[in-house]
């Protein structure tokens, strides 16, 4: 997608040095546009941990490139299998909720099984990581085509009046290498001349909505309005929301969706107001091994400082300010689980299905 007039992905291989992976530093947006270089497994781990890169498909892609960088660290003293398995475990341990990370790391590891020389390991790992990026991009494009049909139908019903879409967090191109899961149908609708307007939840505590979704929608000329997270219910009661579309960090085979904390409350409000609630996701976010989101998905807990402090831009730099008494105890759950019964449907690269075990199985058989 575009920043200014230039096309970017949120992760790519340096054109001049294949030992360098480049990423957009999402900690700095929208205040500074900076590109970071990742040269070692540790760099990838830190970038995922401090959320330089974030969003389920992107952390998967970063993990895949992490294994590639691990192959470049091999020397004559290295026990290759031990080194790569340690790197895989280390990377996967970084963020527990999004299944994409382990999915992508394991995909690359699988492809390395029959490779033995450092050169062939590096070549195969690089190819596999690039392939994952290409697949995720294509999947987002397909999600766009399928999701567009829902937006078109609402637009027809509203006789061309703008379709109001509410989203939570950032499931845009920054989170997904390109296009985005939630945003792909929105970008396509706009391209087709369908008027759309997006309600952007700020998404406390890290504000990926206000910092990232607002930024990317603005860069791509999509009309949006930023709202505090608590406004969604009110807007839905006032019939100012036509559809809610959120991403997913892990979806069970029965259709429960783990997504950024606060998603569940939007789903409850949408259910109460009979507003369609969709999760847009690539199949790399489906964990076919689990069936009960509440019992089986590990919800990441992050540093409470993200709750007690707010970071923003003042005096030419990014600053953090405390918003509560000094000794406040805070809790910072990163995700919540939306049960399948509250979800109208899943928009995937294969099409749209109900959030049920039967439909998911049929779609991905
Ligand atoms: O903690 P983050 O910023 O990695 O969380 C991102 C989200 O919750 C997104 O909505 C998500 O990854 C879903 S799909 C891109």
């Amino acid at each position: 997608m575009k920043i200014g007039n230039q096309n970017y992905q949120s992760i790519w291989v340096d054109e001049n040095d294949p030992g360098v992976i480049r990423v957009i530093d999402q900690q700095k947006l929208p205040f500074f546009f900076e590109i970071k270089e990742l040269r070692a497994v540790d760099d990838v781990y830190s970038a995922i941990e401090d959320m330089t890169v974030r969003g389920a498909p992107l952390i998967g892609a970063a993990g895949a490139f992490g294994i590639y960088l691990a192959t470049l660290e091999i020397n004559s003293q290295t026990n290759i299998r031990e080194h790569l398995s340690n790197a895989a475990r280390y990377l996967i341990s970084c963020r527990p909720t999004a299944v994409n990370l382990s999915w992508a790391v394991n995909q690359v590891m699988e492809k390395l099984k029959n490779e033995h020389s450092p050169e062939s390991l590096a070549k195969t790992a690089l190819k596999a990581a690039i392939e994952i990026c290409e697949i995720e991009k294509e999947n987002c494009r397909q999600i766009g085509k399928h999701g567009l049909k829902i937006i078109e139908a609402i637009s027809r019903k509203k006789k061309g009046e703008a379709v109001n879409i509410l989203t939570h967090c950032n499931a845009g191109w920054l989170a997904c290498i390109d296009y985005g899961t939630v945003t792909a149908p929105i970008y396509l609708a706009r391209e087709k001349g369908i008027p759309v307007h997006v309600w952007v939840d700020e998404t406390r505590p890290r504000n990926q909505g206000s910092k990232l979704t607002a930024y990317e929608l603005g860069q791509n000329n999509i009309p949006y309005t930023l709202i505090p997270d608590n406004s969604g219910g009110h807007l839905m009661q006032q019939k100012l929301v036509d559809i809610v579309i959120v991403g997913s960090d892990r979806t069970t085979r029965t259709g429960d969706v783990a997504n950024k904390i606060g998603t569940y409350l939007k789903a409850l409000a949408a259910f109460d107001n009979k507003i369609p609630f969709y999760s847009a996701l690539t199949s790399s976010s489906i964990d076919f091994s689990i069936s009960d989101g509440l019992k089986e998905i590990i919800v990441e807990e992050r540093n409470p400082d993200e709750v007690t402090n707010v970071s923003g831009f003042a005096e030419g730099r990014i600053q953090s300010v405390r918003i509560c008494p000094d000794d406040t105890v805070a809790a910072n759950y990163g995700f919540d689980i939306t049960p399948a019964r509250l979800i109208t449907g899943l928009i995937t690269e294969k099409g749209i299905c109900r959030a049920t075990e039967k439909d998911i199985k049929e779609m991905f058989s």
Side-chain angles (χ1 to χ4, degrees):
M1 299 299 296
K2 281 199 180 347
I3 294 180
N5 280 329
Q6 203 168 330
N7 268 316
Y8 281 95
Q9 294 189 172
S10 50
I11 192 164
W12 69 98
V13 183
D14 188 297
E15 280 169 7
N16 303 313
D17 183 350
V20 175
I21 305 305
R22 290 179 166 262
V23 294
I24 296 171
D25 187 345
Q26 298 194 29
Q27 291 195 96
K28 304 271 174 63
L29 289 173
F31 314 115
F32 300 101
F33 180 80
E34 283 179 15
I35 290 166
K36 249 188 179 170
E37 293 184 351
L38 312 178
R39 294 171 176 271
V41 179
D42 274 329
D43 295 347
V44 175
Y45 184 93
S46 306
I48 297 174
E49 192 185 37
D50 69 16
M51 291 176 69
T52 298
V53 294
R54 34 67 51 200
L58 179 60
I59 61 176
F65 280 118
I67 296 297
Y68 160 60
L69 292 175
T71 65
L72 302 183
E73 291 169 2
I74 294 169
N75 61 41
S76 55
Q77 312 299 314
T78 310
N79 175 332
I80 294 180
R81 292 299 147 197
E82 194 179 285
H83 169 70
L84 292 177
S85 306
N86 287 345
R89 249 196 318 276
Y90 177 55
L91 288 165
I92 289 172
S93 73
C94 194
R95 291 194 72 188
T97 302
V99 70
N100 308 60
L101 181 54
S102 55
W103 172 83
V105 165
N106 291 332
Q107 289 263 108
V108 182
M109 289 295 284
E110 185 64 31
K111 299 231 161 98
L112 297 185
K113 263 188 178 162
N114 299 319
E115 304 295 345
H116 302 289
S117 72
E119 295 74 25
S120 67
L121 284 161
K123 197 171 153 205
T124 305
L126 179 60
K127 186 164 170 258
I130 293 174
E131 228 167 68
I132 284 172
C133 291
E134 292 307 314
I135 288 170
E136 291 295 43
K137 282 163 57 181
E138 181 51 29
N139 287 346
C140 286
R141 255 201 300 256
Q142 294 306 321
I143 287 172
K145 285 190 196 160
H146 299 303
L148 173 65
K149 290 183 202 139
I150 304 174
I151 296 176
E152 276 174 331
I154 298 172
S155 172
R156 273 196 300 274
K157 243 185 172 170
K158 292 189 80 180
K159 301 197 183 340
E161 217 184 285
V163 177
N164 289 304
I165 301 156
L166 185 138
T167 193
H168 191 67
C169 198
N170 173 264
W173 73 266
L174 287 163
C176 303
I177 304 140
D178 212 346
Y179 308 108
T181 49
V182 167
T183 47
I186 299 173
Y187 292 136
L188 278 189
R190 177 77 175 174
E191 260 175 43
K192 280 198 80 178
I194 299 169
V196 288
H197 163 262
V198 184
W199 294 110
V200 176
D201 282 351
E202 61 181 350
T203 323
R204 276 282 290 149
R206 287 190 66 98
N207 293 321
Q208 295 97 321
S210 66
K211 290 179 175 168
L212 304 174
T213 305
Y215 174 73
E216 64 168 272
L217 292 178
Q219 290 290 326
N220 290 282
N221 299 317
I222 306 286
Y224 70 88
T225 305
L226 179 66
I227 48 171
D229 293 337
N230 295 332
S231 305
H234 169 71
L235 293 176
M236 291 188 216
Q237 287 174 323
Q238 296 302 316
K239 307 207 178 323
L240 293 170
V241 177
D242 298 305
I243 181 170
V244 181
I245 315 180
V246 299
S248 170
D249 290 82
R250 191 181 291 244
T251 300
T252 65
R253 65 169 182 270
T254 53
D256 296 341
V257 166
N259 194 55
K260 180 56 52 185
I261 190 85
T263 302
Y264 169 53
L265 293 178
K266 302 298 162 226
L268 280 175
F271 193 77
D272 190 43
N273 289 282
K274 300 185 178 47
I275 291 167
F277 181 99
Y278 284 90
S279 175
L281 55 117
T282 65
S283 51
S284 59
S285 301
I286 304 178
D287 185 342
F288 290 95
S289 72
I290 59 170
S291 61
D292 186 332
L294 277 171
K295 289 200 184 123
E296 294 174 278
I297 297 177
I298 299 171
V299 170
E300 172 181 321
E301 284 184 58
R302 302 186 55 83
N303 193 328
D305 290 357
E306 292 177 356
V307 177
T308 56
N309 288 54
V310 167
S311 96
F313 185 75
E315 293 156 348
R317 64 194 165 94
I318 296 171
Q319 300 195 40
S320 174
V321 292
R322 188 155 41 79
I323 55 165
C324 55
D326 217 355
D327 50 359
T328 297
V329 176
N332 189 7
Y333 297 95
F335 299 89
D336 60 23
I337 314 299
T338 300
R341 68 188 156 79
L342 299 178
I343 299 172
T344 311
L346 306 175
I347 311 171
T348 75
E349 69 268 21
K350 297 252 174 147
I352 299 163
C353 69
R354 286 181 309 159
T356 64
E357 184 159 14
K358 182 172 166 283
D359 282 29
I360 293 172
K361 199 173 175 185
E362 264 169 34
M363 187 146 278
F364 292 96
S365 62

